[in-house]
């Protein structure tokens, strides 16, 4: 059996779910759900998403999809929970890197230390407000290092070869 991570669901949820809604805005029909809690695959399920949250999961055969909902066909695909990257440094790569996390199924990140702490907080807040596409962010702290290390980082950041 060919296993494919069904990342499009994560992307669709992030794009369509910028603002919470009362009724489902997305239905992923006839998809196999990877249940990581029990280590099982649950085939032929329909997932209804309201805003950025899963509203319902049920058997595809008897889960009603409301009219007007965007439908993603999941036959032959697998839906996985959103992934976490718990050691990132977002300000090094900038805001354009945030959509790449979602494209790879990473829906939450923890920034382990930002030299530009206010920039990291701004990105986090813009994502939470729905004005920037990206994963949910947690920020551990500003970089806590000695002056010599920070000077080396500033020098590297100013070099043309540094991304």
């Amino acid at each position: 059996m060919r296993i494919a991570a069904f990342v499009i669901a994560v992307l669709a949820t992030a794009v369509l779910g910028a603002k919470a809604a009362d009724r489902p805005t997305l239905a992923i029909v006839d998809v196999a759900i990877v249940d990581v809690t029990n280590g099982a695959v649950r085939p032929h399920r329909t997932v209804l998403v309201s805003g950025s949250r899963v509203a319902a999961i049920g058997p595809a055969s008897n889960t009603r999809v409301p009219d007007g909902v965007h439908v993603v066909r999941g036959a032959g695909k697998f839906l996985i929970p959103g992934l976490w990257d718990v050691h990132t440094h977002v300000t090094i790569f900038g805001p354009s890197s945030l959509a790449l996390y979602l494209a790879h199924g990473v829906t939450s990140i923890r920034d382990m230390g930002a030299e530009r702490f206010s920039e990291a907080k701004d990105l986090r807040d813009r994502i939470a407000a729905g004005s920037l596409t990206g994963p949910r962010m947690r920020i551990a702290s500003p970089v806590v290092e000695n002056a010599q290390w920070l000077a080396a980082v500033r020098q590297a950041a100013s070099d043309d070869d540094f991304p």
Side-chain angles (χ1 to χ4, degrees):
M1 179 191 317
R2 190 179 101 194
I3 297 177
F6 199 65
V7 176
I8 194 168
V10 174
L11 289 173
T13 301
V15 172
L16 296 174
K19 295 180 182 158
D22 292 338
R23 62 182 228 75
T25 55
L26 173 70
I28 306 161
V29 298
D30 197 26
V31 68
I33 296 176
V34 177
D35 180 345
V36 297
T37 302
N38 298 313
V41 175
R42 312 263 183 237
H44 308 294
R45 296 290 188 253
T46 291
V47 179
L48 300 177
V49 179
S50 292
S52 62
R53 301 285 183 203
V54 172
I57 299 174
S61 60
N62 65 3
T63 301
R64 187 183 149 302
V65 176
D67 293 335
V69 171
H70 180 76
V71 175
V72 174
R73 304 277 172 211
K77 306 289 186 201
F78 291 78
L79 182 63
I80 63 172
L83 303 173
W84 272 87
D85 186 335
V86 296
H87 192 134
T88 67
H89 297 278
V90 172
T91 58
I92 291 173
F93 303 106
S96 62
S97 68
L98 295 170
L100 294 174
Y101 284 107
L102 296 177
H104 291 92
V106 177
T107 59
S108 301
I109 61 174
R110 179 177 64 183
D111 191 291
M112 290 303 293
E115 184 179 330
R116 297 182 305 274
F117 191 59
S118 61
E119 181 182 339
K121 290 192 305 183
D122 179 60
L123 293 172
R124 177 200 61 199
D125 295 346
R126 289 172 50 205
I127 291 167
S131 64
L132 179 65
T133 300
R136 285 181 297 269
M137 282 181 65
R138 300 289 183 256
I139 305 170
S141 71
V143 170
V144 181
E145 279 294 342
N146 63 40
Q148 183 180 12
W149 184 89
L150 287 174
V153 169
R154 286 189 185 100
Q155 178 60 45
S158 67
D159 290 346
D160 290 337
D161 295 334
F162 192 76

